[in-house]
Each structure stands twice: as structure tokens, then as C-alpha cells.
């Protein structure tokens, strides 16, 4: 394995762009490093969503994140979808484009769920061939994100992290590592999440996702409706130690709080990175500052104990 760098430079700490925050962002122009946009929300030209997106893209770096590529499906690749994706990419010039290593459709019917794949050599070959087609069409490397899962296939012959690593290597693509998804799957399938981190090639990890989940004791559901819990912060710290500074995003899809609340959570990610990687020059590129928060929130942030105990529960 070569030590040469594959990924792009660290671009700091970002948030998922959500409609709830459009007006706040335009009015306050918060000091944030970048936004991640859901590709499918903006693939129709014109209209209010594109008006806002183009306004944000003029002020902030953006990355595109999709949920409907269905790269693992046995359906033919949807070339109309890919043409729209490429058109959006040409229009807003994102830093990168990501989707999930999963399947979402069969016989042309979109389940709107991110469904896991059987981890076999046959699946690796199938997915790699499709990634190569997509990357050639888009003219750039694709990032693929690990999904959370609640079942496994009896036909699987390798662990999820082995599957993800082999696909990334053979397709020469990059990885969006969702730290929360690793924790959720580790709890549901009873594996050690540190084993997952330790088997992923650091050269191929371009982005982290952080999110909250719902803990039901015997199982965990990836709900994205709450703040990042201590268990995921702890795993994030371990990921920073393994991979170094990686562009990091807080992802919230339901029960979305006011923008300053999410901003404070992002500041916590930044602070954990600074404490885990003290003096790392890449972290100096971030424009995040507590100055954008009210005095009460800033005081709470400055006095909060940010680094949880290093124990990852599974």
C-alpha cells in the first residue's frame, strides 16, 4: 500500500444545510467552514431551493451528498439521475460528491431506505464495476458512506469494514465515514467499533459524519433526531487519533433545533479535534468561532468538559 495522499485537504467543520436555517444563515452569515447539501433537493433547475443554494454557494464551500444513487442495486444505473447530478455539480462546483454504499431500489421502485448489502466477493465486483461507471461519468472520485444496519446476510463472507475497504481500493474511490453509523451497527451486531476504524485505510477517508441516534437498550436506531451522544463523541476522538484531521459535519434530519444550537455542537467537534490533535496545523484553517453565540451559550461552551472518558460501549 502506497503512503501517497489520495484525499483532498481538510476543509474544516461543516453542517448539513437545512431549509429551517435558510433565512438565519442569509441574515447572520455565520462563520462556518462549509455546508453539505442533499443533492436530490436541488436537482431541478430554478425555483426557491435553487435560489437559496446558489446564494449559499457564493458565500460558502459546499459538498453534495445523495441518497438515491443505489450503487449496490442490481437495477441498471439510472443515467437520467446521474445526468441531473452532474448538471448540479457543474452549476455549483462542490468540493466533492458523496452517496451511500447500499441499495435503495429494485425493479425501478425506490424504497427510500438505505439498505445494506451482502458482504461477498461477488458484491464487491458488482459494486466496483458500477462505481467505475459513475466516476467516469462524473469525471471525479466518488465518496461512499457506510450505512447503519439492523440485519446481516447469512451469505456474507467478510466483515463490513473489510468489504468497504476492498471496494474503496478496487474502485479507487473515497470514503465518507459516518461515526454514528459505525456505533449504531456495532451495538446492533455486537462488534467492536474500534476494529472497524483500525481496518480502514486512512488515505481514503475524506469526510466524517456525526449524528445522534435512539438507544432502545437491546438495539439502536439511526434517527438523526438528537444531539451527538457521548458514545459517538468518544468514537470520534478515536477516529481522529486514527485518521488525523478529517473534514467533519454534524448531521441532523429531524427535530432540527435553532441554528445556534447546532453551531455549538459543531464547536464541540472542533474543540475535541483540537484537544485530540494539539497544535496540528490543518486545524488552524477553520473559521469557526464562539463569538457568534449569545453570552450564555458561549459561557457554557467554554466551561464544558468536552472530552468524554475513552471507553466505547458496545
Amino acid at each position: 500500500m502506497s503512503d501517497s495522499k489520495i484525499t483532498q485537504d481538510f476543509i474544516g467543520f461543516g453542517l448539513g444545510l437545512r431549509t429551517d436555517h435558510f433565512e438565519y444563515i442569509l441574515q447572520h452569515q455565520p462563520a462556518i467552514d462549509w455546508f453539505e447539501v442533499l443533492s436530490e433537493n436541488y436537482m431541478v433547475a430554478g425555483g426557491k431551493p435553487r435560489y437559496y443554494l446558489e446564494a449559499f454557494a457564493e458565500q460558502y464551500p459546499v459538498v453534495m451528498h445523495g441518497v438515491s444513487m443505489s450503487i449496490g442495486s442490481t437495477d441498471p444505473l439510472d443515467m437520467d439521475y446521474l445526468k441531473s447530478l452532474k448538471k448540479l455539480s457543474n452549476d455549483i462546483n462542490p468540493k466533492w460528491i458523496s452517496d451511500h454504499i447500499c441499495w435503495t431500489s429494485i425493479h425501478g421502485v425506490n424504497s427510500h431506505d438505505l439498505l445494506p448489502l451482502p458482504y461477498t466477493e461477488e458484491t464487491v465486483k458488482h459494486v466496483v464495476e458500477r462505481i467505475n461507471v459513475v466516476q467516469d461519468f462524473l469525471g471525479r472520485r466518488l465518496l461512499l458512506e457506510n450505512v447503519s444496519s439492523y440485519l446481516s446476510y447469512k451469505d456474507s463472507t467478510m466483515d463490513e469494514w473489510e468489504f468497504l475497504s476492498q471496494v474503496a481500493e478496487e474502485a479507487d474511490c473515497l470514503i465518507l465515514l459516518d461515526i454514528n453509523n459505525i456505533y449504531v451497527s456495532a451495538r446492533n451486531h455486537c462488534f467492536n467499533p474500534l476494529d472497524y476504524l483500525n481496518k480502514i485505510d486512512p488515505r481514503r477517508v475524506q469526510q466524517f459524519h456525526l449524528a445522534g441516534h435512539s438507544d432502545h437498550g437491546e438495539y439502536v436506531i439511526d434517527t438523526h433526531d438528537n444531539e451527538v451522544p457521548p458514545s459517538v463523541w468518544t468514537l470520534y476522538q478515536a477516529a481522529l487519533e486514527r485518521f488525523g484531521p478529517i473534514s467533519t459535519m454534524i448531521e441532523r434530519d429531524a427535530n432540527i433545533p435553532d441554528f445556534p444550537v447546532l453551531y455549538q455542537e459543531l464547536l464541540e467537534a472542533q474543540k475535541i479535534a483540537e484537544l485530540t490533535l494539539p497544535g496540528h496545523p490543518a486545524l488552524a484553517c477553520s473559521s469557526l468561532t464562539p463569538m457568534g453565540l449569545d453570552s450564555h451559550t458561549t459561557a457554557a461552551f467554554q466551561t464544558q468538559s468536552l472530552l468524554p472518558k475513552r471507553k466505547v460501549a458496545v
Side-chain angles (χ1 to χ4, degrees), residues 43-56:
M43 287 168 64
V44 176
K48 205 167 184 179
R50 284 296 295 264
Y51 162 78
Y52 280 109
L53 176 58
E54 289 166 9
F56 296 134

Side-chain angles (χ1 to χ4, degrees), residues 18-122:
R18 301 294 182 261
T19 55
D20 305 57
H21 302 144
F22 281 1
E23 291 297 338
Y24 180 92
I25 295 167
L26 287 179
Q27 180 179 352
H28 296 275
Q29 299 185 346
I32 195 166
D33 295 329
W34 51 278
F35 285 103
E36 181 187 87
V37 303
L38 291 172
S39 305
E40 289 80 2
N41 289 349
Y42 305 97
M43 287 168 64
V44 176
K48 205 167 184 179
R50 284 296 295 264
Y51 162 78
Y52 280 109
L53 176 58
E54 289 166 9
F56 296 134
E58 288 180 358
Q59 300 180 54
Y60 299 96
V62 296
V63 306
M64 286 168 49
H65 184 56
V67 294
S68 298
M69 188 176 291
S70 198
I71 197 71
S73 174
T74 55
D75 282 355
L77 284 166
D78 185 341
M79 295 310 297
D80 288 337
Y81 173 87
L82 291 177
K83 289 176 183 175
S84 296
L85 190 69
K86 187 172 183 176
K87 175 67 168 57
L88 178 62
S89 171
N90 291 340
D91 288 347
I92 68 171
N93 190 27
K95 289 288 187 180
W96 55 76
I97 301 173
S98 65
D99 206 291
H100 300 81
I101 189 162
C102 70
W103 62 284
T104 61
S105 64
I106 186 168
H107 303 316
V109 178
N110 193 333
S111 71
H112 300 289
D113 281 318
L114 305 172
L115 302 169
L117 293 161
Y119 304 134
T120 67
E121 292 291 345
E122 183 181 13

Side-chain angles (χ1 to χ4, degrees), residues 179-205:
I179 306 300
N180 177 61
N181 287 352
I182 292 176
Y183 180 82
V184 168
S185 294
R187 282 281 302 277
N188 291 337
H189 300 301
C190 298
F191 64 77
N192 188 334
L194 297 179
D195 289 342
Y196 199 122
L197 297 181
N198 291 333
K199 295 297 184 182
I200 299 295
D201 181 357
R203 299 176 311 148
R204 296 199 176 273
V205 179

Side-chain angles (χ1 to χ4, degrees), residues 5 7-13 33-34 96 175 179 202-208 236-249 269-270 272-286:
K5 184 177 177 62
T7 56
Q8 299 179 38
D9 291 338
F10 172 77
I11 60 170
F13 301 87
D33 295 329
W34 51 278
W96 55 76
I175 295 172
I179 306 300
R203 299 176 311 148
R204 296 199 176 273
V205 179
Q206 175 69 55
Q207 183 185 344
F208 287 157
Y236 174 54
Q237 182 190 351
L240 290 165
E241 292 171 351
R242 165 74 175 153
F243 302 106
I246 298 293
S247 303
T248 296
M249 194 201 88
Q270 180 194 45
I272 289 176
E274 290 174 345
L275 292 171
T276 306
L277 305 168
H280 198 294
L283 296 175
C285 81
S286 177

Side-chain angles (χ1 to χ4, degrees), residues 137-303:
F137 181 78
L138 295 177
R140 61 166 76 202
R141 278 197 177 103
L142 186 67
L143 278 65
L144 288 174
E145 176 185 350
N146 57 299
V147 298
S148 57
S149 63
Y150 312 93
L151 59 82
S152 57
Y153 295 88
K154 63 181 181 181
D155 292 332
S156 290
T157 58
M158 62 183 81
D159 293 314
E160 180 181 326
W161 49 88
E162 295 172 325
F163 175 80
L164 178 60
S165 297
Q166 189 171 338
V167 167
E169 185 68 23
E170 293 188 15
D172 194 21
C173 67
L174 302 177
I175 295 172
L176 193 173
L177 206 56
D178 190 306
I179 306 300
N180 177 61
N181 287 352
I182 292 176
Y183 180 82
V184 168
S185 294
R187 282 281 302 277
N188 291 337
H189 300 301
C190 298
F191 64 77
N192 188 334
L194 297 179
D195 289 342
Y196 199 122
L197 297 181
N198 291 333
K199 295 297 184 182
I200 299 295
D201 181 357
R203 299 176 311 148
R204 296 199 176 273
V205 179
Q206 175 69 55
Q207 183 185 344
F208 287 157
H209 270 175
L210 296 171
H213 54 251
S214 297
D215 192 334
H216 297 270
E218 293 184 352
Y219 62 94
V220 183
I221 299 178
D222 177 27
T223 47
H224 290 192
D225 63 351
N226 213 330
E227 62 186 14
V228 179
S231 53
V232 175
W233 285 129
T234 302
L235 195 57
Y236 174 54
Q237 182 190 351
L240 290 165
E241 292 171 351
R242 165 74 175 153
F243 302 106
I246 298 293
S247 303
T248 296
M249 194 201 88
I250 302 288
E251 191 177 35
R252 182 75 70 90
D253 293 321
N255 191 27
I256 296 176
D258 291 340
F259 188 90
V261 176
L262 279 182
Y263 192 89
Q264 185 195 1
E265 207 172 7
L266 197 60
L267 286 169
E268 188 156 340
Q270 180 194 45
K271 191 66 177 178
I272 289 176
E274 290 174 345
L275 292 171
T276 306
L277 305 168
H280 198 294
L283 296 175
C285 81
S286 177
S287 61
L288 262 67
T289 168
M291 297 299 291
L293 304 177
D294 59 64
S295 57
H296 174 75
T297 304
T298 300
F301 167 73
Q302 291 173 337
T303 58

Side-chain angles (χ1 to χ4, degrees), residues 129-142:
E129 289 175 352
R130 290 164 66 91
I131 295 171
N132 286 335
V133 172
V134 171
Q135 291 187 143
D136 287 345
F137 181 78
L138 295 177
R140 61 166 76 202
R141 278 197 177 103
L142 186 67

